[in-house]
Amino acid sequence: MDLDKEEISSLRWETFPHMADIGIRGFGKSPREALIAVSYALIAVITDPQKVDPQKSLTLCCEADSYDLLLYDWLNSLIFKMATENMLFCRFDITLNLPVLRGIVWGETVDREKHSPAVEIKGATFSELFFGQAKDGQWIAQCIVDV
């Protein structure tokens, strides 16, 4: 049984065009679920998250006074770790107690042949940054990433 692939298929995320950059959006029943979903959207900009195996874990911690800034910090922490550790991620375990977000991420070293990375993400931006609830109660985590 592959829990990682089951987790991925139960979440909803999307990417959307934004001039020269790319928008990412995750949806969830809770802030935690929306954060996990938008994390998969971030990886989906680069490669299919299901091509990545959970061979190594890293712990990340962010702190911010608002959900929006916490989303911004979380995404930039993931982008920084991908760049400095030469990794892609495929599984996310997040504990969120505003103002603190603690996460454990699993992934593997980038293999250009296996992952066929489409782009390099330079950073999350404040453009269209949103992390909150829609009228229907669904949580949405959204950001434009610079590619």
Side-chain angles (χ1 to χ4, degrees):
M1 183 164 85
D2 190 340
L3 295 175
D4 299 331
K5 291 183 175 38
E6 284 182 14
E7 180 183 38
I8 291 171
S9 65
S10 69
L11 296 171
R12 192 173 79 121
W13 74 81
E14 64 187 16
T15 61
F16 56 95
H18 181 269
M19 298 168 47
D21 296 320
I22 298 174
I24 58 173
R25 189 178 292 137
F27 304 91
K29 296 175 192 159
S30 67
R32 178 185 175 277
E33 193 173 291
L35 271 171
I36 292 172
V38 78
S39 301
Y40 282 115
L42 179 73
I43 301 304
V45 170
I46 302 166
T47 190
D48 179 351
Q50 295 193 43
K51 289 182 175 178
V52 183
D53 291 320
Q55 296 178 356
K56 178 181 174 186
S57 67
L58 299 173
T59 301
L60 304 175
C61 186
C62 303
E63 187 170 335
D65 292 333
S66 71
Y67 279 127
D68 289 345
L69 292 178
L70 207 51
L71 170 63
Y72 175 82
D73 282 351
W74 171 249
L75 294 173
N76 276 316
S77 293
L78 290 174
I79 294 164
F80 177 78
K81 285 296 183 185
M82 286 191 293
T84 58
E85 303 281 334
N86 192 33
M87 289 184 69
L88 291 168
F89 302 118
C90 61
R91 185 173 172 208
F92 307 90
D93 185 11
I94 293 173
T95 302
L96 177 60
N97 292 310
L98 201 61
V100 177
L101 184 163
R102 294 185 196 286
I104 301 173
V105 297
W106 288 263
E108 68 177 317
T109 302
V110 175
D111 178 331
R112 296 205 174 280
E113 205 168 297
K114 176 181 178 184
H115 301 121
S116 304
V119 295
E120 179 180 349
I121 299 176
K122 299 173 189 162
T125 72
F126 287 109
S127 182
E128 297 192 37
L129 183 67
F130 176 77
F131 188 12
Q133 280 185 289
K135 289 181 181 177
D136 64 0
Q138 179 173 236
W139 281 86
I140 300 170
Q142 165 183 297
C143 182
I144 304 297
V145 292
D146 184 14
V147 294

